[in-house]
Amino acid sequence: MKIGSNVLTQSNGLPDQRRISQLVTQISALKKQGIEVILVSSGAVAAGRSLITVSDKYDAIATRQLLASIGQVKLINNYAQLFEQHDILCSQVLVTTEDFKGRQHYLNMKNCLEILLQHQVIPIVNENDVVSVTELMFTDNDELAGLIASMLNAQALIILTNVNGIYTSNPSDAGSELITEVTDNGVDFASFVSSGKSQFGRGGMITKSHMAQKTAKLGIAVHIANGTKENILIDVLNNTAAHTRFIPDKTASGKKKWLAHSEKSATGVVQINEGAKIALTSNKATSLLPVGLVDVLTDFKKGEIIKLIDEQKKVVALGIAEYGADKAKESIGQKNQKPLVHYDYLYLLS
């Protein structure tokens, strides 16, 4: 589950201690029912803001680093003390996008989280805002939560925000209705969802919607619910709370779950022809063969993630290269050659 900044903070930007305590009580109750819980929590910057005043002369990045570095200590200590009241141990896991780029590093992170769960510890994951700047940053903690859920093959991902879910227009508009179920991965939320971001977080409802679609496509149910409501976690899991649920597709393989969140990690780019695009996007499992290649646009090595773009330069899929760029260039347009990307290691983006 992911708890957003607007759930954990008061209107003045300082931590809402009462709400944090209530959420810990609910998580502890779930844990004692035998439900494994991984918590992705915002709130380090807000916690830092409660401890120190920063002069306006510092830029936004430096201020964020300062507040996060101080605040993360307070945030995790707060969680530790609250969980201790329920005889539960928690741990801190700070990450950046770099931690998920290589397959081996990804598996190391997965193993870390699994050993914590095996020992009945609740991992509390947050982006390491102290070192995460610009290109190293996740879009927001929603993206991080989706990646963690996919990594651990979670049954469900619960995103707690400060509204009941996704609405057909701005929730404050007359006639706006809550969307309770989403089954079509092709829904264009940008056409009716507000693009505004939360007061203290980086993410907005559009980024939540896109992440939820991607995660549901991997076989994980996603719930977007109002974390400011009493007993919300229990009610969501009992299906008694008004919220938005993304219905999951069939379960994807572990490598495809890694690929789904790895577009930023791609090192190579290859261009494919229309015939290859049609074949890859059909319902039949199809590998990318050299006969479908038009061009190899950037270098890559065997085992690296590459982007497959069409003739209009739109990204069609991500895949793991079966061999390097040099061999791929030599094989362009040729028949009866080994696939550049096997269908088991191919993830379609559209």
Side-chain angles (χ1 to χ4, degrees):
M1 56 189 61
K2 181 260 182 177
I3 307 177
S5 296
N6 267 12
V7 175
L8 295 173
T9 55
Q10 304 172 67
S11 58
N12 60 6
L14 300 179
D16 189 328
Q17 188 60 33
R18 176 177 171 273
R19 186 167 294 138
I20 295 171
S21 179
Q22 288 178 339
L23 289 166
V24 166
T25 298
Q26 292 176 64
I27 293 169
S28 300
L30 295 175
K31 182 73 174 171
K32 289 175 180 179
Q33 290 175 26
I35 297 172
E36 297 289 3
V37 179
I38 304 97
L39 176 59
V40 176
S41 176
S42 304
V45 172
R49 193 179 286 116
S50 72
L51 298 171
I52 191 170
T53 301
V54 187
S55 168
D56 292 339
K57 72 179 183 180
Y58 297 102
D59 64 43
I61 290 177
T63 298
R64 186 178 181 85
Q65 288 176 302
L66 172 63
L67 294 176
S69 185
I70 296 168
Q72 190 64 42
V73 177
K74 180 174 182 178
L75 179 68
I76 200 66
N77 280 336
N78 192 10
Y79 274 124
Q81 291 166 9
L82 290 170
F83 277 115
E84 189 176 351
Q85 295 173 13
H86 301 276
D87 298 319
I88 293 174
L89 277 176
C90 67
S91 73
Q92 176 176 256
V93 182
L94 296 177
V95 301
T96 71
T97 54
E98 292 293 306
D99 294 313
F100 296 92
K101 287 189 175 180
R103 178 69 177 165
Q104 189 57 51
H105 211 162
Y106 178 89
L107 293 175
N108 290 342
M109 179 69 67
K110 183 174 185 286
N111 292 338
C112 170
L113 293 169
E114 286 179 343
I115 193 77
L116 289 168
L117 293 176
Q118 288 165 13
H119 286 79
Q120 304 306 312
V121 177
I122 293 181
I124 300 178
V125 187
N126 195 5
E127 180 169 14
N128 191 345
D129 289 316
V130 177
V131 298
S132 291
V133 291
T134 59
E135 72 277 358
L136 293 182
M137 295 173 77
F138 294 97
T139 305
D140 50 38
N141 266 350
D142 298 319
E143 179 186 6
L144 173 57
L147 199 153
I148 295 290
S150 302
M151 171 189 283
L152 294 175
N153 197 26
Q155 290 175 285
L157 169 60
I158 301 174
I159 304 291
L160 295 185
T161 183
N162 61 345
V163 292
N164 288 350
I166 300 174
Y167 285 77
T168 53
S169 61
N170 191 308
S172 61
D173 292 347
S176 179
E177 295 182 358
L178 178 69
I179 300 171
T180 56
E181 280 195 352
V182 180
T183 56
D184 184 3
N185 285 316
V187 174
D188 179 16
F189 289 100
S191 63
F192 58 86
V193 174
S194 169
S195 60
K197 295 182 178 180
S198 63
Q199 185 178 359
F200 302 110
R202 292 203 307 274
M205 195 56 78
I206 286 182
T207 61
K208 286 176 175 57
S209 303
H210 290 163
M211 180 282 300
Q213 284 181 310
K214 181 184 289 187
T215 304
K217 191 175 179 182
L218 298 173
I220 298 166
V222 182
H223 306 262
I224 299 179
N226 192 337
T228 68
K229 289 192 169 183
E230 302 286 330
N231 212 43
I232 187 63
L233 292 174
I234 309 297
D235 290 346
V236 164
L237 292 179
N238 289 335
N239 200 29
T240 57
H243 71 288
T244 301
R245 178 175 184 252
F246 287 73
I247 307 298
D249 287 358
K250 64 180 182 179
T251 302
S253 70
K255 277 209 169 84
K256 290 199 177 186
K257 288 181 177 179
W258 172 49
L259 284 169
H261 296 274
S262 298
E263 187 169 354
K264 293 178 183 176
S265 309
T267 54
V269 182
V270 299
Q271 190 171 35
I272 62 174
N273 60 34
E274 189 63 22
K277 179 180 177 180
I278 292 170
L280 292 174
T281 55
S282 69
N283 292 327
K284 183 180 177 183
T286 307
S287 301
L288 175 61
L289 302 170
V291 70
L293 288 178
V294 173
D295 199 2
V296 176
L297 301 176
T298 61
D299 285 337
F300 53 87
K301 298 175 183 177
K302 178 181 178 180
E304 292 185 338
I305 298 171
I306 60 175
K307 292 181 185 177
L308 282 55
I309 65 171
D310 62 18
E311 293 177 285
Q312 287 71 47
K313 306 291 180 70
K314 180 184 177 184
V315 182
V316 176
L318 301 169
I320 300 175
E322 293 287 311
Y323 42 86
D326 289 343
K327 183 176 178 181
K329 290 175 184 175
E330 293 173 1
S331 304
I332 289 175
Q334 295 182 16
K335 295 180 180 180
N336 302 319
Q337 297 292 318
K338 180 182 177 183
L340 174 58
V341 179
H342 190 274
Y343 65 78
D344 280 341
Y345 309 131
L346 181 76
Y347 178 77
L348 294 172
L349 295 174
S350 56

